[in-house]
Amino acid sequence: MVKSQTLVLDRTFAALSDPTRRALLARLDEEDSVSISELARPFPVSLPAIMKHLDVLEDAGLITREKTGRTVNCQLIAQPMQEAVAWLNRYERFWNKQLDRLTAFVERDQPPTKKARKK
Amino acid sequence: MVKSQTLVLDRTFAALSDPTRRALLARLDEEDSVSISELARPFPVSLPAIMKHLDVLEDAGLITREKTGRTVNCQLIAQPMQEAVAWLNRYERFWNKQLDRLTAFVERDQPPTKKARKK
DNA sequence: CTAATACTTAACCCGATGGTTAAGTCTCAG
DNA sequence: CTGAGACTTAACCATCGGGTTAAGTATTAG
């Protein structure tokens, strides 16, 4: 069931790379279980376009769909995002380092008595 | 200079959706400032293919290139990743919730303490 | 039963992506 | 000066992604 892990990241990041898809997820974040037509309503694109986005999100394991009568309700699954964050956190020390450098730079300027340097 | 923020996320996530690109970043994580040909060597694709990946990474603001003589050195810029993480963390409570449910399930057999459990 | 509602599927467009090979530029060693 | 090394650019190709319109399938309200 490992499903190549790398493939999971591929699909997760790809799914997140589209603003419409991120907006759909955001909607499912504030209200779980939303029907497809309600999900689609705010967007200026056709329903089939939204369907495709939902397909992508489902393939990435970021949502599930559940049919009830003629309506289909979607809900968010956050776990793949967590894995994405886990991958990204590998670089945390890196941006901390850069932040530290910035902090050091800013703090060095505190006493304005020394000679001014530029750039 | 805001560059639409949403566009930044688009490009960051898109850049991260390719395993070759993630591997390139990983390489730049363990060793900063690596030449293009050295970066390319481990991969079974042509140099121009790697060049295109580097273009994507640069457009996403994830690397910089610096020419020295006839070689070009690349280095990682982690900040866009940090913004990606910031976006993803919006869903943190979501996977915590799911984790809590799991925790509750596991701890069901223990005497229910009224006191707040550990954060 | 009929018709509206809520999706779903199919067929098509077109620009972006990831790869190729081939040729071009620039730099440095000899 | 010449040639090898390190990119860079160009041209091309196949597939994918995001969008469309149009038609099809269930379900359910009347």
Side-chain angles (χ1 to χ4, degrees), chain A residues 23-41:
Chain A
L24 288 168
L25 292 174
R27 175 67 201 276
L28 289 173
D29 180 38
E30 36 189 58
E31 179 182 4
D32 68 49
S33 212
V34 182
S35 77
I36 289 184
S37 42
E38 194 181 346
L39 269 178
R41 193 169 26 209

Side-chain angles (χ1 to χ4, degrees), chain B residues 3 13 45 95 117:
Chain B
K3 213 192 224 173
F13 283 129
V45 298
W95 63 67
R117 61 168 167 224

Side-chain angles (χ1 to χ4, degrees), chain A residues 16-93:
Chain A
L16 295 174
S17 73
D18 184 278
T20 301
R21 247 132 43 198
R22 289 199 305 277
L24 288 168
L25 292 174
R27 175 67 201 276
L28 289 173
D29 180 38
E30 36 189 58
E31 179 182 4
D32 68 49
S33 212
V34 182
S35 77
I36 289 184
S37 42
E38 194 181 346
L39 269 178
R41 193 169 26 209
F43 298 96
V45 298
S46 66
L47 225 211
I50 297 294
M51 293 291 289
K52 288 191 185 182
H53 284 306
L54 294 177
D55 289 345
V56 172
L57 290 172
E58 187 169 32
D59 286 352
L62 286 165
I63 64 166
T64 51
R65 286 140 140 164
E66 180 193 339
K67 190 163 196 164
T68 313
R70 64 181 156 176
T71 83
V72 174
N73 283 8
C74 301
Q75 45 207 101
L76 187 127
I77 301 179
Q79 182 215 328
M81 296 193 204
Q82 193 174 13
E83 291 171 29
V85 168
W87 188 87
L88 286 165
N89 276 339
R90 176 196 243 219
Y91 299 90
E92 192 178 7
R93 62 172 181 76

Side-chain angles (χ1 to χ4, degrees), chain B residues 21 46 48-49 52-53 69:
Chain B
R21 257 150 13 213
S46 66
K52 288 191 184 181
H53 284 305

Side-chain angles (χ1 to χ4, degrees), chain B residues 83-96:
Chain B
E83 290 171 28
V85 168
W87 188 88
L88 286 165
N89 276 340
R90 176 195 242 218
Y91 299 90
E92 192 178 7
R93 62 168 181 77
F94 216 99
W95 63 67
N96 282 341

Side-chain angles (χ1 to χ4, degrees), chain B residues 46-65:
Chain B
S46 66
L47 225 211
I50 296 294
M51 292 292 289
K52 288 191 184 181
H53 284 305
L54 294 176
D55 289 345
V56 172
L57 290 172
E58 188 170 32
D59 285 351
L62 287 165
I63 64 167
T64 51
R65 285 139 140 164

